[in-house]
């Protein structure tokens, strides 16, 4: 950027001081290169299910091109409420406890802005999705990162939270299945966290965007644990499980007071989520088990393939249990993760993302997304093995 | 297996072995890779495949061709056949007799307005017509036939012949 210094000084200091996403840096390098195999993509390679796309076209023909209600079409909110009750174990009133948003991204922003007063602390776990820290800062909060560890399967424990929590801590953010580690939490794991949240009177924001994508055990949501529904904002969306990233559609469920507060911001800043995308989502919810099931089966096979390949070449990796990411350790090569990723990119033309893009404690790890077809994954593993032999 | 009880697992696989499904997608996949995908030793995969071949579940391995690209002098006809079932053997005897003609590439027993559905190949219209009039129709038990010619293939064996241009995903994304 070559903005003049005087303009730079006009920029809000919080915004100015937040560094660019580490992923962005990497992306800029990759785009200058040709024929790169990318394991760097955090979005599904599958096409959006055809019946959903077909329904979108139909909705367009039928003229669903106007504003919807601020909360979203009631038909969609009813379908969401049913879906969440069935798969996540909490009931939400579609009239005032469900808000349709522009992706989970917007929902995260709304939730934080609706809750945070200047200086309120927000606990979240790293390595984590690239936007968490920035979104907390934009909302005027103080981010408190808790480090999860490979030896724990990157799960969050009560002790980790206790070490960081202060009387000023107001919110706890969770994301399981996790981007970038592929970690999930069992019911017992979550019960400990739930107890802690109740004791410390925290509001929980849970980003469960990868909930459908677990490969060995079903997902458990923290909202299904007694006492948590009424202090939790549950976030989910269609980007990952339905391969609908470009539709930009997500939603938040929570107690009416909290949803109402988020809705206030949403109505003035966004008005409503895309009507067409909402119509598509209504269709997507008609047969989720089948659409998503096909993809889950394929992701599982790829996960299996990656895990066996890593093992075969002696690359240490905790077993990824959800989302579509593996997070192997490259610490034994004694070079920073970023250097590893850059070297691998230049020498073998495979893009992976250094763990440091997801928080400082991601040092020593790289994220390999298996949201790409098996041929690419196979070739990438051949190249990785060859590359490792040179280190 | 545990994952079969997951809420999001494909219904097909409750009925079909995942190994068969993978082979249907790509029969050339190495047993080592199949093992990695299914999280079992390659030797187990080889054994299972051998067993499927032996019991005749796997009848063969073929390439899926886009024949429209080959400019072949060939036509494919889809023929609906009405037959009288025989006292013994029902439709099987007549269906087997018809299936043995090398011109018949596929044959199915159907419900509905006719009994057998045949896919028949010939070098040209006349050849197929000759097959119908000289071999098929005269067979005892064949009541009537209705022949349709295939003009273009859009999808075969689950494979689209016309691929959409690949969607443009960013090469690195959060
Ligand atoms: C953990 C997590 N939350 C949220 C998002 C953004 O989701 P959406 O497309 O719904 O805005 C992502 C996308 O990568 C993610 O990984």
């Amino acid at each position: 950027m070559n903005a003049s210094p005087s303009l730079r000084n006009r920029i809000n200091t919080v915004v100015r001081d937040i560094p660019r996403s580490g992923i962005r840096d990497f992306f800029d390098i990759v785009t200058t290169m040709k024929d790169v195999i990318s394991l760097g993509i955090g979005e599904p390679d599958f096409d959006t299910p055809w019946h959903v796309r077909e329904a979108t076209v139909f909705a367009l023909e039928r003229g669903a091109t106007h504003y919807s209600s601020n909360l979203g079409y009631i038909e969609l909110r009813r379908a969401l409420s049913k879906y969440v009750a069935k798969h996540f174990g909490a009931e939400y009133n579609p009239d005032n406890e469900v808000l349709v948003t522009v992706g989970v991204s917007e929902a995260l922003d709304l939730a934080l802005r609706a809750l945070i007063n200047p200086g309120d602390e927000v606990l979240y776990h790293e390595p984590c999705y690239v936007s968490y820290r920035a979104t907390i800062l934009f909302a005027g909060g103080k981010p408190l990162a808790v480090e999860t560890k490979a030896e724990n399967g990157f799960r969050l424990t009560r002790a980790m939270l206790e070490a960081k929590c202060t009387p000023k801590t107001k919110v706890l953010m969770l994301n399981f299945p996790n981007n970038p580690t592929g970690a999930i939490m069992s019911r017992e794991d979550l019960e400990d966290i739930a107890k802690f949240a109740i004791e410390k009177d925290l509001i929980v924001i849970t980003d469960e965007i990868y909930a459908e994508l677990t490969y060995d055990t079903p997902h458990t949501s923290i909202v299904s644990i007694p006492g948590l529904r009424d202090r939790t904002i549950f976030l989910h969306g269609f980007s990952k499980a339905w391969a609908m990233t470009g539709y930009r559609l997500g939603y938040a469920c929570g107690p009416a007071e909290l949803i109402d507060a988020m809705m206030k911001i949403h109505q003035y800043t966004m008005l409503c989520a895309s009507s067409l995308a909402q119509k598509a989502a209504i269709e997507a919810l008609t047969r989720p088990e089948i659409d998503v099931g096909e993809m889950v089966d394929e992701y599982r096979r790829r996960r299996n393939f990656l895990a066996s390949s890593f093992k075969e070449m002696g690359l240490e990796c905790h077993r990824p249990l959800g989302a579509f990411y593996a997070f192997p350790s490259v610490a034994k090569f004694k070079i920073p993760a970023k250097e590893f990723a850059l070297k691998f990119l230049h020498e073998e033309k495979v893009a992976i993302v250094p763990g440091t893009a997801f928080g400082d404690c991601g040092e020593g790890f790289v994220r390999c997304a298996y949201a790409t077809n098996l041929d690419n994954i196979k070739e990438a593993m051949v190249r990785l093995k060859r590359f490792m032999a040179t280190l | 297996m545990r994952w079969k009880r997951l809420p999001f697992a494909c219904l097909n696989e409750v009925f079909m072995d995942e190994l068969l499904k993978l082979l249907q997608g790509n029969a050339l996949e190495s047993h080592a890779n199949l093992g990695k995908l299914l999280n079992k030793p390659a030797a187990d995969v080889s054994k299972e495949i051998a067993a499927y071949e032996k019991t005749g579940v796997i009848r063969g391995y073929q390439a899926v061709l886009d024949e429209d690209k080959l400019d072949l002098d060939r036509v494919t006809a889809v023929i609906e056949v009405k037959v009288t079932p025989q006292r013994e053997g029902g439709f099987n005897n007549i269906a087997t007799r018809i299936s043995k003609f090398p011109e018949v590439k596929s044959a199915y027993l159907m419900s509905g307005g006719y009994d057998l559905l045949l896919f028949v190949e010939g070098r040209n219209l006349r050849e197929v017509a000759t097959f119908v009039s000289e071999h098929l129709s005269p067979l005892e038990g064949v009541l009537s036939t209705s022949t349709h010619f295939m003009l273009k293939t859009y999808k075969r064996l689950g494979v689209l012949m016309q691929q959409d241009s690949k969607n443009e995903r960013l090469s690195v994304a959060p």
Side-chain angles (χ1 to χ4, degrees):
Chain A
M1 299 288 167
N2 43 13
S4 69
S6 65
L7 284 184
R8 206 181 137 73
N9 289 338
R10 303 289 187 87
I11 293 171
N12 169 287
T13 50
V14 176
V15 175
R16 194 187 59 203
D17 296 343
I18 288 177
R20 271 160 42 107
S21 158
I23 286 219
R24 209 60 230 170
D25 285 346
F26 217 71
F27 174 72
D28 290 346
I29 302 168
V30 175
T31 44
T32 63
M33 299 176 62
K34 274 177 83 170
D35 300 325
V36 170
I37 292 183
S38 185
L39 304 187
I41 312 179
E43 74 169 313
D45 57 312
F46 295 108
D47 292 330
T48 306
W50 178 250
H51 69 108
V52 175
R53 291 197 276 162
E54 165 80 37
T56 318
V57 174
F58 186 60
L60 182 61
E61 285 171 353
R62 291 269 298 255
T65 55
H66 300 276
Y67 294 133
S68 72
S69 90
N70 294 133
L71 286 171
Y73 288 121
I74 183 66
E75 191 188 353
L76 174 58
R77 283 182 279 136
R78 287 197 187 113
L80 289 169
S81 164
K82 262 198 202 138
Y83 181 74
V84 173
K86 177 169 177 199
H87 290 286
F88 298 88
E91 307 269 344
Y92 295 97
N93 182 346
D95 293 333
N96 57 6
E97 296 188 316
V98 180
L99 170 65
V100 180
T101 59
V102 180
V104 170
S105 303
E106 192 216 349
L108 270 168
D109 181 43
L110 295 179
L112 286 165
R113 281 202 280 160
L115 292 170
I116 300 296
N117 284 317
D120 284 348
E121 293 173 351
V122 179
L123 273 171
Y124 69 107
H125 49 94
E126 281 187 341
C128 72
Y129 179 47
V130 293
S131 82
Y132 286 2
R133 196 184 138 77
T135 314
I136 296 166
L137 288 168
F138 290 145
K142 183 176 167 209
L144 293 183
V146 172
E147 296 179 10
T148 58
K149 300 255 190 295
E151 54 267 30
N152 254 328
F154 291 106
R155 293 186 332 255
L156 186 63
T157 64
R158 185 190 166 110
M160 293 172 179
L161 292 174
E162 240 153 23
K164 287 278 166 94
C165 191
T166 80
K168 283 202 196 137
T169 310
K170 184 172 193 180
V171 174
L172 167 63
M173 285 172 78
L174 299 174
N175 168 229
F176 295 100
N178 181 257
N179 175 8
T181 63
I184 66 170
M185 295 275 276
S186 69
R187 174 164 280 274
E188 296 77 61
D189 295 335
L190 286 171
E191 276 166 354
D192 280 350
I193 305 299
K195 254 187 233 146
F196 175 79
I198 293 171
E199 271 167 36
K200 304 284 178 188
D201 197 19
L202 303 177
I203 301 286
V204 177
I205 299 175
T206 181
D207 173 353
E208 304 193 13
I209 193 165
Y210 295 100
E212 290 80 3
L213 310 183
T214 65
Y215 306 116
D216 302 311
T217 48
H219 171 73
T220 307
S221 172
I222 196 160
V223 293
S224 69
I225 292 174
L228 265 285
R229 180 211 176 274
D230 293 332
R231 60 171 63 247
T232 301
I233 300 174
F234 167 91
L235 309 181
H236 198 359
F238 292 82
S239 286
K240 311 293 172 166
W242 280 269
M244 289 170 64
T245 41
Y247 278 90
R248 308 304 308 121
L249 204 74
Y251 56 98
C253 301
E257 296 81 355
L258 299 184
I259 292 298
D260 189 54
M262 290 170 65
M263 155 75 173
K264 255 192 207 164
I265 310 174
H266 175 77
Q267 75 180 354
Y268 290 127
T269 56
M270 201 62 73
L271 226 164
C272 68
S274 153
S275 302
L276 272 182
Q278 292 189 57
K279 292 289 183 191
I282 292 170
E283 176 64 27
L285 287 170
T286 57
R287 35 171 279 182
E289 289 83 357
I290 298 172
D291 292 338
V292 178
E294 287 270 359
M295 295 190 252
V296 168
D297 287 342
E298 177 64 18
Y299 286 133
R300 179 187 304 102
R301 291 189 286 264
R302 295 174 184 175
R303 186 277 312 257
N304 291 346
F305 189 89
L306 269 185
S308 330
S309 303
F310 288 156
K311 200 165 165 197
E312 218 171 66
M313 63 182 99
L315 194 62
E316 204 177 301
C317 184
H318 93 100
R319 190 163 182 78
L321 299 171
F324 34 61
Y325 308 106
F327 205 59
S329 163
V330 294
K332 70 170 182 181
F333 300 107
K334 307 259 187 285
I335 52 172
K338 185 161 184 188
E339 202 181 318
F340 182 94
L342 280 174
K343 252 179 117 155
F344 188 34
L345 177 62
H346 283 123
E347 286 174 24
E348 293 285 359
K349 296 199 168 179
V350 178
I352 53 177
V353 183
T356 41
F358 310 99
D360 292 341
C361 68
E363 185 53 273
F365 297 89
V366 291
R367 188 189 77 173
C368 304
Y370 44 97
T372 186
N373 71 45
L374 193 59
D375 289 336
N376 282 338
I377 293 175
K378 280 188 211 158
E379 178 57 25
M381 290 303 103
V382 170
R383 296 186 192 182
L384 180 58
K385 191 172 173 190
R386 190 164 62 202
F387 174 68
M388 278 168 50
T390 67
L391 292 177
Chain B
M1 255 185 283
R2 226 170 12 154
W3 59 262
K4 291 223 164 115
R5 277 190 276 110
L6 292 182
F8 298 95
C10 180
L11 297 182
N12 276 343
E13 310 212 326
V14 178
F15 305 108
M16 204 207 274
D17 183 353
E18 201 172 6
L19 172 59
L20 291 177
K21 187 170 171 169
L22 286 176
L23 288 171
Q24 274 194 326
N26 177 11
L28 293 180
E29 189 63 270
S30 74
H31 295 188
N33 280 347
L34 288 168
K36 281 186 186 172
L37 290 166
L38 299 171
N39 205 21
K40 52 172 100 165
D44 288 7
V45 171
S46 304
K47 253 188 249 160
E48 285 169 35
I49 292 177
Y52 279 129
E53 287 170 349
K54 193 157 169 226
T55 53
V57 170
I58 295 179
R59 313 295 298 205
Y61 303 91
Q62 298 186 341
V64 183
L65 303 180
D66 182 354
E67 295 186 352
D68 294 348
K69 282 222 169 92
L70 291 175
D71 239 352
L72 298 176
D73 281 328
R74 187 152 87 193
V75 295
T76 300
V78 181
I79 307 179
E80 304 166 2
V81 189
K82 284 191 185 151
V83 298
T84 19
Q86 285 164 337
R87 205 185 166 94
E88 276 170 42
F91 290 102
N92 287 347
N93 287 346
I94 178 87
T96 310
R97 278 187 74 179
I98 292 174
S99 299
K100 283 189 174 160
F101 285 103
E103 293 91 335
V104 177
K105 298 301 168 190
S106 311
Y108 306 93
L109 178 63
M110 310 294 289
S111 71
Y114 54 92
D115 305 306
L116 299 177
L117 179 67
L118 310 179
F119 287 73
V120 171
E121 279 177 11
R123 267 174 299 179
N124 49 44
L125 268 158
R126 196 145 38 84
E127 205 174 279
V128 174
T130 309
F131 170 76
V132 174
S133 63
E134 294 187 4
H135 296 298
L136 187 59
S137 298
L139 281 179
E140 201 189 320
V142 171
L143 297 175
S144 68
T145 63
S146 167
T147 303
H148 316 269
F149 286 95
M150 264 168 36
L151 300 181
K152 182 173 175 183
T153 307
Y154 292 95
K155 190 175 187 182
R156 230 161 81 74
L157 299 168
V159 181
L160 281 173
M161 295 295 139
Q162 200 88 45
Q163 271 308 336
D164 295 347
S165 57
K166 203 51 215 154
N167 58 20
E168 295 269 317
R169 287 193 304 155
L170 305 173
S171 47
V172 178

